[in-house]
Amino acid sequence: MALKDGCTSFERKRCAFNPLKKCNYCKETSDLKMPSAAAMIMLYYKLKDNVADERGIKKLGYYLLLPIFGGAHKKAMKQYPNLEKIVSDYIKEQAELEKNDCCEIDRIADPTAKALSQILMLCSDDETQKRVLERLGYCLGRYIYILDAACDLEEDIKKGTYNVLKYEFKENKEQYIKERVVPQLYFCANE
C-alpha cells in the first residue's frame, strides 16, 4: 500500500474481536489479498513443521490445526501459485539444510532471506522498486531467521532440536549473543 500514490481510506466500526470498542478498518482491501495469502501459505507450512518437530500434546494440537488452515492454504495456493512455489521451495531447502545439520549461519539463513525477497518483489511492477524490495526482503528475512534462532537457543538445546547457533555456543549465552549474533542483526538492520 505504501508503494501506491493514493492513500487507502479508513472507516471506524465495531471491532470484530471486542464489539464494545470501535476500530479503524481499511475500506479497500485488495492490496491486502496477496500478503494475506502469503501469511496463510507460510502458516500452513509452519504448522506442518511444528507437527514434525514437536512431541506429545503439542504435536497433537498442531496436527488438529492443520485441517483448519488447510482450506485457507488451498484457497491462497489457487489464487497465488507463485507464492506457493516460493514458500514450498524455501521450506524444502531449509529442511534439507537442517537435516544435514548445517552449521553456517549465512547458509542456513539464506532460504528464508531469499523467500522473503521474492515475496516482496511481487509487491511492485516497477523495476527500481523491485530491486529495493528484493534487498529489503533479503535483509529482513535474514534478520528474522537469526533473531528467531537466538530467541529459541535455550529451548532448542533442552529439546535437542536443530538450531544453527548451538554449534558455536559454549556456556555464556549472553556473551555469545552479544559477540556473535548482535553484529549479524546490526549488519542486516544497517543495510
Side-chain angles (χ1 to χ4, degrees):
M1 289 165 63
L3 298 173
K4 304 232 175 181
D5 289 332
C7 177
T8 303
S9 59
F10 292 87
E11 64 182 325
R12 285 189 67 74
K13 59 184 187 180
R14 296 267 172 221
C15 178
F17 297 104
N18 183 357
L20 301 176
K21 289 176 73 177
K22 284 196 170 188
C23 299
N24 290 327
Y25 283 87
C26 182
K27 281 185 178 180
E28 175 58 46
T29 58
S30 63
D31 292 328
L32 300 177
K33 286 183 180 178
M34 193 275 289
S36 298
M40 285 300 104
I41 291 169
M42 288 188 276
L43 176 61
Y44 179 78
Y45 282 106
K46 176 64 177 157
L47 287 171
K48 285 181 76 167
D49 184 53
N50 287 353
V51 166
D53 289 348
E54 293 294 338
R55 296 181 193 104
I57 194 79
K58 277 189 170 183
K59 181 178 184 127
L60 178 62
Y62 290 126
Y63 187 75
L64 292 173
L65 287 173
L66 264 176
I68 294 169
F69 291 99
H73 170 252
K74 284 180 184 174
K75 182 179 177 183
M77 184 174 65
K78 284 180 185 173
Q79 288 180 324
Y80 298 95
N82 51 350
L83 277 175
E84 171 67 22
K85 178 156 179 33
I86 290 168
V87 175
S88 65
D89 289 351
Y90 134 70
I91 293 293
K92 287 175 193 163
E93 188 178 349
Q94 194 77 51
E96 187 65 31
L97 288 169
E98 289 179 13
K99 189 175 96 178
N100 294 327
D101 286 331
C102 178
C103 59
E104 300 169 40
I105 292 176
D106 292 333
R107 194 162 161 223
I108 195 71
D110 197 55
T112 305
K114 285 191 303 190
L116 201 49
S117 74
Q118 291 173 8
I119 290 170
L120 286 187
M121 283 176 59
L122 297 174
C123 294
S124 178
D125 294 326
D126 180 84
E127 287 304 314
T128 303
Q129 286 179 346
K130 277 185 172 215
R131 283 196 314 271
V132 172
L133 290 169
E134 178 183 26
R135 195 63 194 158
L136 173 66
Y138 188 87
C139 292
L140 184 60
R142 190 175 148 71
Y143 184 94
I144 290 168
Y145 186 89
I146 294 170
L147 184 61
D148 184 57
C151 291
D152 294 346
L153 181 59
E154 280 185 53
E155 186 178 337
D156 289 338
I157 289 171
K158 286 178 190 172
K159 286 182 172 181
T161 54
Y162 177 83
N163 188 319
V164 70
L165 302 179
K166 289 192 313 188
Y167 296 101
E168 293 181 358
F169 173 71
K170 300 296 178 225
E171 292 177 19
N172 187 338
K173 178 187 170 198
E174 287 77 23
Q175 187 70 22
Y176 172 73
I177 297 290
K178 184 179 176 182
E179 290 177 1
R180 181 69 173 116
V181 177
V182 170
Q184 292 276 339
L185 296 174
Y186 278 139
F187 176 78
C188 295
N190 287 338
E191 189 171 341

